[in-house]
Amino acid sequence: MKIYKSIIILFFAVATLVACDDTLDLEPEGNTEASGPLSSLEDFQGRWAKLYAGLIIGGQQGGDGAADIAGIDGGFSNYGRLYWKLQELSTDEAIIAWNDGTIRDLHYQNWTKDNEFIAAMFARIGYQVTINNAFIKESSDAAIANAGLSSEESALVKSYVSDARFLRAYSYYHGMDLFGTMPFTTENTAADGSELPAYISRSDLFNYIESELLTIMDDLPAGRGNEYGRVSQAAAQMLLAKLYLNAEVYTGTARYADALTYTNSVISQGFSVDTALGYPALFLADNDSNGAQNEFIWTINFDGDNTQTFGGTTFLSHAAVGGTIMDPAAYGLDAGWAGLRTTPEFVELFPNEENSADGRENFFNEGQTKSIADVGNFNNGFAIVKFQNIKLNGTPGVNPTFVSTDLPVFRLADAYLMYAEIVARGAGGDAGTAVGYINTLRERAYGNNLNGIDNSDLTLDFIIDERARELYWEGHRRQDLIRFNQFSSNGIWEWKGNVQNGTTTASFRNLYPIPTTELNLNSNLIQNIGY
């Protein structure tokens, strides 16, 4: 079962949410507490569904209507769409033709503390933390007992609380990665606004996220879990591995041995890479059932009928189609939005191999120039057609406007590459095992075993490029470039620094600013250096 495709209906039917007065633009509309009594399992399920729905849609209605975040369009304020923009548009993997507000500043790396997309992401993370806090508080043992649930129903609701704690940690992880800090609240923080959320340092937030994940680990279902799209023990292990892999950036202390431990744990959980399936199948409208799902550790699920949003894979599919030659119908779409392309530097990461082509190279270059002379011209820059609303058999998804392709948050290929990176850093693991993992991915990419690597190829330069080739547009690039010291003061690509040939930028841009709106709202917050 795809969890959101049935549970999302419960959310709309049961979890009517209460709004409070708007105080500032880009603040939550208030929809953080559900109304009505908790007197049945369905009441708990409706509110639990919103925790996942907050990552999928931008508001209380289909098409991102009744937006959760004020001051910005509901589609623009979609969690995944905002997160993707901050992680990908700021890198060599993506550039956008649109000129909405300050959106181009993300690729130019000249954003300010008043950038509305940065502010919306900060508010969206805060909103997501708040609704998870509310659910945890409202699902106390006393509340469960008062609802008169059976023992099986009570156990199920308690499992929902573990989900909420994971999802809260996941959003705090995004806040720590992007901003260094977030207004810190838990289920024990006063919900009436009588106290300002506390400031928390990046290292202390790291410790909190780590503690939460370790605490709930055994409460989550082992292996691949029991419902596709619902968090599992493997998802928590993967998030911990990510936390430790980037620990030196976050805290100043490397934790590669811990990253290796949890990467190995993920790899042992029963996921698999099907080398015969082919890379493109991972990003099609039936990737929940065409074999790709066997690799997915955790996904954000989309369905053209039941989760209608202008964010997520709907955005990644439509915005990547445009120009004078691309046919939207070829990708299962009713229209192209003519926005997203990539830089020539990213294109050049795919060398011309003697034996065969890399099947991960999903570029559309007919009628497109490789170099980008005019950022606003969609025909400048190769298009990328990685995410498509087409099934493996060539038929379109159920809805040509709202895409049904699921978004992999974590997949086994990433764990393989993380293992290989740890080995390349000399921090543990086995070189032969790492090479084997890489060659599995390259066999799938090329459709043969003629383009494998050996131990001498396992360098950090190779790893950062191979991560780009395998994981591009999946929300990893900014984090990877920062970890490899290639994001700001090193690394150049077209239009970085707002010059066509690219230039380096100041290292303080490794963190985004705390938005002005948030500083005005909460005197406990401290602006990041450089802003």
Side-chain angles (χ1 to χ4, degrees):
M1 181 184 75
K2 275 195 166 187
I3 186 172
Y4 319 119
K5 294 183 180 180
S6 57
I7 292 297
I8 203 75
I9 297 170
L10 283 172
F11 156 60
F12 287 127
V14 179
T16 303
L17 301 173
V18 183
C20 65
D21 292 336
D22 297 333
T23 55
L24 288 172
D25 284 348
L26 296 174
E27 285 306 303
E29 287 277 18
N31 314 301
T32 55
E33 293 186 13
S35 63
L38 288 164
S39 58
S40 69
L41 176 63
E42 287 73 21
D43 292 337
F44 287 97
Q45 285 180 320
R47 300 183 193 187
W48 164 71
K50 174 59 180 177
L51 311 183
Y52 285 97
L55 301 175
I56 303 169
I57 56 178
Q60 308 299 308
Q61 300 170 1
D64 305 302
D68 296 322
I69 304 298
I72 191 168
D73 174 80
F76 273 53
S77 74
N78 175 279
Y79 192 112
R81 180 167 169 170
L82 288 167
Y83 181 70
W84 189 93
K85 287 176 179 175
L86 268 59
Q87 291 287 19
E88 295 287 355
L89 285 181
S90 58
T91 76
D92 56 342
E93 288 188 353
I95 190 168
I96 197 162
W98 305 340
N99 199 22
D100 299 293
T102 56
I103 195 168
R104 290 188 188 174
D105 292 348
L106 298 177
H107 188 82
Y108 296 159
Q109 290 199 9
N110 64 357
W111 55 74
T112 71
K113 60 188 178 181
D114 296 313
N115 183 289
E116 66 266 40
F117 298 97
I118 294 172
M121 183 77 254
F122 196 96
R124 172 58 73 178
I125 293 173
Y127 175 81
Q128 196 68 17
V129 167
T130 300
I131 62 173
N132 280 285
N133 284 341
F135 181 82
I136 294 166
K137 184 174 183 178
E138 293 165 359
S139 302
S140 65
D141 289 345
I144 293 172
N146 290 337
L149 304 184
S150 69
S151 58
E152 289 184 358
E153 290 173 333
S154 297
L156 189 57
V157 172
K158 290 179 180 180
S159 76
Y160 297 159
V161 174
S162 297
D163 287 17
R165 292 180 70 177
F166 172 91
L167 294 171
R168 178 176 62 185
Y170 176 66
S171 287
Y172 268 136
Y173 163 74
H174 287 162
M176 179 188 63
D177 181 72
L178 295 168
F179 301 102
T181 186
M182 288 297 297
F184 185 69
T185 60
T186 70
E187 69 275 19
N188 297 318
T189 303
D192 60 3
S194 60
E195 59 181 286
L196 290 175
Y199 169 82
I200 187 169
S201 69
R202 200 178 202 187
S203 57
D204 285 345
L205 188 52
F206 177 101
N207 292 338
Y208 174 79
I209 297 165
E210 176 189 27
S211 175
E212 280 289 282
L213 293 172
L214 291 172
T215 298
I216 65 172
M217 185 72 68
D218 292 338
D219 297 328
L220 296 170
R224 297 174 60 189
N226 50 20
E227 292 175 273
Y228 173 78
R230 187 176 173 188
V231 297
S232 66
Q233 196 173 92
Q237 291 167 343
M238 188 68 168
L239 187 54
L240 268 174
K242 289 280 186 184
L243 196 69
Y244 294 136
L245 187 69
N246 294 282
E248 192 166 10
V249 172
Y250 299 148
T251 70
T253 302
R255 300 280 296 272
Y256 292 116
D258 292 321
L260 180 62
T261 295
Y262 283 96
T263 300
N264 279 328
S265 295
V266 170
I267 291 171
S268 68
Q269 289 277 12
F271 302 93
S272 61
V273 170
D274 185 348
T275 57
L277 181 63
Y279 182 82
L282 275 66
F283 310 100
L284 299 180
D286 58 350
N287 61 351
D288 63 321
S289 59
N290 66 15
Q293 76 277 8
N294 296 322
E295 183 181 338
F296 296 159
I297 296 163
W298 181 38
T299 54
I300 303 296
N301 296 349
F302 294 94
D303 177 271
D305 286 334
N306 296 314
T307 56
Q308 296 187 347
T309 175
F310 292 101
T313 52
T314 291
F315 167 70
L316 294 177
S317 300
H318 283 275
V321 174
T324 56
I325 296 176
M326 299 182 78
D327 179 11
Y331 310 105
L333 307 173
D334 55 5
W337 297 352
L340 300 174
R341 297 95 73 222
T342 194
T343 68
E345 289 80 9
F346 176 71
V347 172
E348 289 162 6
L349 293 179
F350 290 85
N352 294 319
E353 302 286 358
E354 294 182 4
N355 300 307
S356 55
D358 189 331
R360 299 171 296 191
E361 185 181 318
N362 289 324
F363 300 133
F364 186 97
N365 57 20
E366 187 179 358
Q368 305 289 130
T369 62
K370 183 177 177 182
S371 185
I372 305 168
D374 180 0
V375 173
N377 184 342
F378 182 85
N379 290 118
N380 282 208
F382 285 4
I384 286 179
V385 289
K386 180 170 181 172
F387 294 91
Q388 301 184 20
N389 194 32
I390 293 287
K391 298 179 183 179
L392 189 60
N393 65 7
T395 61
V398 297
N399 189 312
T401 300
F402 299 108
V403 171
S404 295
T405 306
D406 296 337
L407 181 67
V409 179
F410 301 134
R411 57 187 179 93
L412 184 59
D414 191 3
Y416 281 176
L417 288 160
M418 290 164 65
Y419 182 97
E421 179 182 335
I422 294 165
V423 172
R425 292 184 182 278
D430 175 74
T433 301
V435 166
Y437 289 157
I438 295 291
N439 286 342
T440 295
L441 302 181
R442 291 178 72 82
E443 181 180 348
R444 174 174 64 186
Y446 287 92
N448 58 52
N449 59 6
L450 302 177
N451 292 278
I453 67 167
D454 58 31
N455 288 21
S456 65
D457 298 310
L458 199 64
T459 66
L460 288 176
D461 286 342
F462 170 82
I463 293 296
I464 185 63
D465 290 348
E466 190 72 1
R467 284 188 64 82
R469 288 185 285 265
E470 178 69 31
L471 300 169
Y472 67 94
W473 280 30
E474 294 178 54
H476 302 289
R477 186 60 167 170
R478 171 188 162 275
Q479 186 184 88
D480 288 349
L481 289 174
I482 291 172
R483 189 171 66 255
F484 281 79
N485 193 26
Q486 294 294 316
F487 179 70
S488 55
S489 56
N490 293 297
I492 294 175
W493 49 85
E494 272 199 347
W495 291 105
K496 179 182 175 183
N498 197 18
V499 294
Q500 183 179 356
N501 291 333
T503 187
T504 58
T505 59
S507 59
F508 72 79
R509 294 195 181 277
N510 287 352
L511 280 175
Y512 286 106
I514 307 300
T516 298
T517 51
E518 301 291 340
L519 293 170
N520 291 338
L521 183 68
N522 187 348
S523 59
N524 290 334
L525 297 179
I526 301 172
Q527 183 59 276
N528 290 324
I529 294 172
Y531 298 104

